[in-house]
Structure formats: structure tokens, C-alpha cells
Amino acid sequence: MAKSAVASLSLIIIFFCMTFFFPFLSNAISQCNGPCQTLDDCSGQLICINGKCNDDPDVGTHICTGGGGGGGGGSPPSPGNKCQPSGRLTCGQNSYPTYTCSPPVTSSTKAKLTNNDFSEGGDGGAPSECDGKYHDNSELVVALSTGWYNGGSRCGKMIKITANNGRSVRAKVVDECDSMRGCDKEHAGQPPCNNNIVDGSDAVWNALGLDKDIGIVDVTWSMA
């Protein structure tokens, strides 16, 4: 084939690709029929920044808010992932997702167990929200993420926590693990909690036979 013919064919292929594929690439910045506008307009593990979807492992759920990007409504959230970030909180050089909700509570709710010092001067900051008191590390007490805390409706109630080693313990809900606020004196300078946290005292970790120095472990919980 002559060089001129090859060049012409190449130009045709490039034109075809630009015409038929580039629009999809440029419009792929959002699944909401236009540039993304909210944190949740992007699919996969992306976040909307200046109208374009950029990498962020914490958010990006392909939920289109009403009228977002001109699409109007968009796709509903998937049944297994109903609790999405409500915004972000910047703490110094870091940015964290914030939540008003938590995953649905079941007879075996998956959670992350963290360790908290509920005593005065401990890393829990202010007194426990439920009773306005500090609690000794020997007490079987926990704080729950904002959604599970549910405005204090679980204050004073007992939950059953089960570790992967098969051991279980009953503990009392005395505080909220705030998923909306953080990085201030009230929260002992700590960032907001994730939406799936059961924050247990030393006594809880000991009863489950877990090493609190690990920092975070997978557990399940239910209302006792």
C-alpha cells in the first residue's frame, strides 16, 4: 500500500476514534449525564472535584442527586451499600468522609472494633454523651458510630460483640463515636469515626481475648 494511502487510512481511524470514543471518555466524568456536581456523582472509587471524577478510595458511589449534572435522579444506590458519605471534613493536611448514617443493623452486623479510653483525661475527650460521665477502663462500655448511636436511642442498652476467635461479650452503649465531627478539643483532636465503628473499652478487648495494640479488628455485633 502506498504511503499516502496508509497516511489517509491512519487519519480516518484517528478521526473515527475521536468522533465515536472521545465523547464517551469526556462524558465519563460522571454517570449523571453531565459533569459531576456532588461527591457521589462518580462511579467506582472516585470523588467529584471541579466537575471531574478523581481518585479517592473513600467515596464515589454512583448516586445522582436530584438534578445533579442535568441527569435528574440517576441510578439508585445499590441495596448492599445504602450508607454513603454526607460530606468531608478537612483536618490539617488530611480530609475525611463524614457520615450521618451507618450500615443496617442485623442479627450479625459487621463492624470494626477500635479501642477507646473512656476515663477522664483519656483519648475519648469529653465525658460520655449518654450520661455525661467518665467511665473506668474496667467497665464493659462502648461508643457507636453516629448512625448506630441513632441520636442516643441506644444509650444504656446492651449490645453483644463477637470476635472472629468465637468469643463474645455484652457491653453497654454510653457514647457516640462521632462520624460527623472531629479534630477538635471535644473529640481529643481525633478525626471523625467511620460509619461502622464499635469503640470499646479495654475491658471489652480483654473479654474478647484481643490485643488492643492491634488498634482495629473485624467483629460483628447485635442488640443483646
Side-chain angles (χ1 to χ4, degrees):
M1 185 180 293
K3 290 183 178 180
S4 59
V6 172
S8 297
L9 180 60
S10 298
L11 289 173
I12 292 173
I13 292 174
I14 292 173
F15 176 78
F16 177 82
C17 291
M18 293 292 288
T19 301
F20 292 97
F21 290 103
F22 183 75
F24 290 103
L25 293 174
S26 60
N27 290 333
I29 62 173
S30 172
Q31 298 294 327
C32 306
N33 299 326
C36 61
Q37 299 200 5
T38 72
L39 291 175
D40 294 326
D41 282 350
C42 305
S43 62
Q45 295 183 330
L46 302 174
I47 179 176
C48 183
I49 301 176
N50 297 326
K52 295 183 179 181
C53 293
N54 291 276
D55 292 332
D56 189 319
D58 293 324
V59 297
T61 56
H62 183 41
I63 297 176
C64 305
T65 55
S75 302
S78 59
N81 193 22
K82 293 181 180 179
C83 179
Q84 310 301 338
S86 59
R88 294 190 73 80
L89 178 67
T90 299
C91 303
Q93 300 295 318
N94 299 312
S95 178
Y96 301 91
T98 56
Y99 298 88
T100 59
C101 58
S102 291
V105 176
T106 67
S107 59
S108 183
T109 310
K110 292 182 179 180
K112 300 289 186 181
L113 178 68
T114 53
N115 180 244
N116 186 35
D117 183 351
F118 291 86
S119 64
E120 187 170 5
D123 56 17
S128 297
E129 235 176 78
C130 291
D131 54 15
K133 299 178 180 178
Y134 291 103
H135 293 269
D136 192 83
N137 290 320
S138 62
E139 295 183 56
L140 294 168
V141 293
V142 298
L144 296 177
S145 291
T146 294
W148 288 337
Y149 182 72
N150 196 27
S153 67
R154 291 193 167 93
C155 276
K157 295 185 178 180
M158 303 298 290
I159 66 170
K160 179 183 178 181
I161 308 163
T162 303
N164 289 337
N165 60 14
R167 297 179 67 167
S168 297
V169 66
R170 295 173 75 249
K172 184 167 69 173
V173 178
V174 298
D175 206 355
E176 173 186 10
C177 195
D178 203 327
S179 304
M180 287 296 296
R181 299 168 298 162
C183 306
D184 54 18
K185 184 178 180 181
E186 180 183 353
H187 299 87
Q190 298 186 51
C193 287
N194 209 328
N195 66 339
N196 61 345
I197 299 298
V198 173
D199 203 19
S201 63
D202 287 358
V204 170
W205 282 73
N206 293 336
L208 292 173
L210 299 173
D211 181 1
K212 68 178 183 179
D213 291 333
I214 295 175
I216 184 169
V217 296
D218 292 321
V219 296
T220 60
W221 73 276
S222 62
M223 297 305 300

